[in-house]
Amino acid sequence: MSIIHAIIGYGGMGSWHHRNLKEHVPGITVKGAWDIRPEAREKAVEAGLIAYDSLEALLADPEVQLITIATPNNFHKDLSIAALRAGKNVICEKPVTLNCDELKEIVAVAQETGLLFTVHQNRRLDKDYRIVCKAIEDGLLGKPYFIESKVQGSRRAMHGWRGYKVNGGGMLLDWGIHLIDQIMNMIDSPVTSVDGHLLSIFTPEVDDNIKLTLKFENGAVAMLEMSTNTLINAPRWHVTGTEGTLQVDNWQCEGKIMQLKEDGAMSWADDIVYTAAGPTRTMAPRPAHTMVELPLPEVDSHWSDYYNNIVDVLENGAKPMVTHEQLIRVMNVVDLLFESAKDGAGKACHI
Ligand code: NAD
C-alpha cells in the first residue's frame, strides 16, 4: 500500500517533489495539491493531480496521510501546525522556520500529536557532500581542520519572494541553511563559535552575499560562502586535513585528493625561492614527485533516498533522516549568525 500524499504550494519545489516521487518513490502516491494561485492549481491538474479548493479541503481529506509544505518560508510554521493538528504527517521544506522559537512551537505540536514532522534537508544526499564525508570517514585526509564550502552564483539579486524580509528571504535562510546543515552533520562535535558576515549588495531588504565561520570543539573550522555575483568560481569544496588535501572543483564533482608519499616529508631548505609573485621560503611550492594524487571516492546517493527513509519511518518506525534535535541545533546556529552579523562580532556558544 502506497502512502497517500498531498502538496501545499505547487510552485518550483512543490512540482519537483511531485515529479521526483512519481519517478522514483513507488511507496508514496501524490494525490493532490493546494496552492493560493489558480494558475499553480491548474498546473497541478495538468500534471494529473486533484487541485483542492482550499487548504481546509486538503486537510479534511481523510485519505491523505502525508503532506509536504513547499510555500515561501514565512508560511511554514502555521501550515505545519495546521497539518499536524489535522492528523497529517508533515515534511516541511527548508528553512523549516524563520527562527528557532518558531521551530520549537512546531516540535511541541509534533510531540503532542505523535505524528511525523521532519524537514527536506535533501542536500545531505548531494554527491559532492557525500564524497567529502566519505573521504573524511575513510581517513584519507587525517584530521580535517579547515573546511571551505562555497556556492557561488552570478544572477545578482535574490529571486522573487526570496528578496523580501516578510517572506523569510535572504541567502542565510535559503542556501545558508543547507551548507550549515551539511557541515553540522559532517563534523561530529559541538559548535563553539560562529561569525556571520551578511551583505546586502543587490537585494536591499535581505542578505544576498554571505560568509560564515563555524568553529567546532574538536578544532575544525568551517568557512562557508554563498554569493550571487561571482564571475570566477572558487572550488565547491576545499578541505585541509593533517594527512591530505581534498578539492571538489565544481557541481560535476570533479576534483582530487593529494597526500604526501611515504618518504615525501621535506625538511626546510634555507634557500629563498623566487616566484613570479615574489620571494618566499614558507610557501615554497612542493615538488610534484613527493606527493601522490588520489581520485575522489565513489559514492552512491540519490535524492529519492530522502523519501525512501520517510516510507521506512511511516511503515516500519525507522528513525527519520532529519531529526528534531538536528533541526534545533541548526536553527540555533542560524539565530546566532543573524545576531553576530547585526553586532559585527563573533559569538561564543556550545551548540
Ligand atoms: P515558488 O515561488 O516557486 O513556489 C511557492 C508556491 O507556493 C507558489 O506556487 C505560491 O503560489 C505558493 N504559495 C504561496 N503562499 C502560499 C500559501 N500560503 N498557501 C499555499 N500556497 C502558497 O518557491 P519555491 O522555489 O518552490 O520554494 C518553496 C519552498 O521550497 C521554500 O521554502 C524554499 O526554501 C524551498 N526550496 C527548497 C529547495 C531544496 O533543495 N530543498 C529548493 C528550492 C526551494
Side-chain angles (χ1 to χ4, degrees), residues 45-64:
V45 171
E46 282 162 24
L49 298 182
I50 289 173
Y52 294 96
D53 291 337
S54 65
L55 172 66
E56 292 69 28
L58 184 158
L59 296 182
D61 183 341
E63 241 198 338
V64 171

Side-chain angles (χ1 to χ4, degrees), residues 311-320:
V311 173
D312 209 16
V313 173
L314 294 180
E315 290 187 347
N316 308 317
K319 189 178 171 195

Side-chain angles (χ1 to χ4, degrees), residues 182-290:
Q182 284 185 336
I183 210 78
M184 288 179 70
N185 280 282
M186 177 190 287
I187 307 294
D188 185 17
S189 179
V191 179
T192 52
S193 70
V194 304
D195 201 352
H197 303 272
L198 309 186
L199 308 185
S200 304
I201 307 283
F202 300 102
T203 325
E205 279 198 22
V206 296
D207 52 295
D208 54 14
N209 282 262
I210 70 177
K211 282 210 188 226
L212 317 172
T213 309
L214 273 62
K215 199 165 174 213
F216 293 84
E217 197 168 65
N218 70 1
V221 179
M223 292 159 281
L224 314 179
E225 178 182 321
M226 286 136 272
S227 62
T228 58
N229 186 40
T230 304
L231 304 181
I232 302 174
N233 283 19
R236 171 70 186 86
W237 293 90
H238 190 276
V239 184
T240 318
T242 49
E243 307 301 329
T245 305
L246 169 150
Q247 183 166 300
V248 179
D249 301 338
N250 48 35
W251 295 114
Q252 283 69 45
C253 298
E254 293 157 338
K256 62 187 175 192
I257 293 172
M258 298 301 292
Q259 293 176 339
L260 290 190
K261 281 197 172 145
E262 246 173 57
D263 56 354
M266 288 175 67
S267 58
W268 285 105
D270 284 337
D271 304 338
I272 296 287
V273 175
Y274 288 86
T275 70
T280 176
R281 179 188 289 127
T282 309
M283 297 301 166
R286 168 174 282 281
H289 68 83
T290 64

Side-chain angles (χ1 to χ4, degrees), residues 146-210:
F146 283 155
I147 304 167
E148 291 182 50
S149 165
K150 297 180 178 173
V151 288
Q152 298 173 315
S154 57
R155 306 291 172 102
R156 297 198 158 184
M158 298 297 288
H159 175 247
W161 58 261
R162 286 170 172 78
Y164 299 100
K165 226 183 169 71
V166 67
N167 293 122
M171 191 59 93
L172 178 53
L173 287 171
D174 192 35
W175 264 95
I177 207 88
H178 280 307
L179 298 202
I180 296 166
D181 181 78
Q182 284 185 336
I183 210 78
M184 288 179 70
N185 280 282
M186 177 190 287
I187 307 294
D188 185 17
S189 179
V191 179
T192 52
S193 70
V194 304
D195 201 352
H197 303 272
L198 309 186
L199 308 185
S200 304
I201 307 283
F202 300 102
T203 325
E205 279 198 22
V206 296
D207 52 295
D208 54 14
N209 282 262
I210 70 177

